[in-house]
Each structure stands twice: as structure tokens, then as C-alpha cells.
């Protein structure tokens, strides 16, 4: 997978994670109902893996972020910032 494809997948995963947090839907639900933005095309397998992986491992990811965050609780962070950190942390923890 090329770098631009990974960048696109990350951007789409971030949008899905934001939507999940804002609406309370699950990632699987968002993907199943196709209620995500298609501005960048259909989400790739890598996007699916990232969004579903963050959701499945959110407790461990959030603990890692909380352990390294200074003077900011995770819930105090804006939705976008929080989900960027979740995505990046999951990717460092789990993706080859």
C-alpha cells in the first residue's frame, strides 16, 4: 500500500471514529449502513482495520494516552484531537 493510500485510509478512519463518538453508533454499524462520507471514495480495507481496531482496543489505547498525557484527561480533549491520538496510538501499538 502506498503512502497516499495509507494517508487516505487514516483520514477516512478518523472521520468514522469521529462519527462514532459523536453519534454513538459503532464502527461496524457505520460501515454496514454506509453512513460515512465518500468524499475520498470508499473506505479501504486498511481504513476498516484501523477504525475497527481502535474501537476493539479502545480501553488499552485510552490507557496508553492517559499514561502519557500531562494535564489533560482524555475526555477533556476535543473529539478530533482525542481520535487522532487514538488512531495514532493504535497504529503504533498494533500495526506492523
Amino acid at each position: 500500500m502506498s503512502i497516499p493510500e495509507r494517508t487516505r485510509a487514516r483520514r477516512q478512519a478518523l472521520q468514522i471514529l469521529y462519527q462514532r463518538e459523536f453519534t454513538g453508533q459503532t464502527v461496524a454499524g457505520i460501515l454496514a449502513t454506509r453512513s460515512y462520507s465518500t468524499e475520498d471514495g470508499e473506505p479501504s480495507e486498511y481504513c476498516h482495520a484501523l477504525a475497527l481496531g481502535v474501537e476493539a482496543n479502545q480501553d488499552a489505547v485510552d490507557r496508553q494516552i492517559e499514561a502519557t498525557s500531562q494535564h489533560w484527561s482524555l475526555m477533556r480533549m476535543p473529539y478530533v484531537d482525542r481520535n487522532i491520538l487514538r488512531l495514532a496510538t493504535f497504529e503504533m501499538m498494533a500495526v506492523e
Side-chain angles (χ1 to χ4, degrees):
M1 177 176 290
S2 70
I3 289 177
E5 290 170 359
R6 282 191 180 236
T7 300
R8 184 174 68 86
R10 288 180 187 115
R11 184 172 46 242
Q12 290 173 318
L14 176 61
Q15 291 171 349
I16 290 168
L17 291 170
Y18 176 87
Q19 180 177 344
R20 174 189 71 113
E21 191 160 359
F22 194 75
T23 65
Q25 293 178 280
T26 64
V27 170
I30 292 166
L31 294 172
T33 60
R34 302 171 56 91
S35 61
Y36 48 79
S37 170
T38 56
E39 182 178 325
D40 287 330
E42 287 297 316
S44 68
E45 287 182 34
Y46 192 63
C47 168
H48 286 231
L50 290 174
L52 290 166
V54 167
E55 183 175 56
N57 297 283
Q58 185 170 322
D59 289 340
V61 168
D62 285 357
R63 278 193 304 274
Q64 183 65 38
I65 295 168
E66 287 277 355
T68 57
S69 176
Q70 295 182 7
H71 310 295
W72 280 92
S73 70
L74 194 61
M75 296 317 292
R76 231 179 112 200
M77 296 176 190
Y79 286 145
V80 173
D81 297 358
R82 182 170 48 231
N83 284 294
I84 288 171
L85 289 171
R86 284 177 174 151
L87 187 58
T89 301
F90 172 73
E91 199 167 13
M92 287 187 287
M93 291 170 64
V95 178
E96 301 173 16

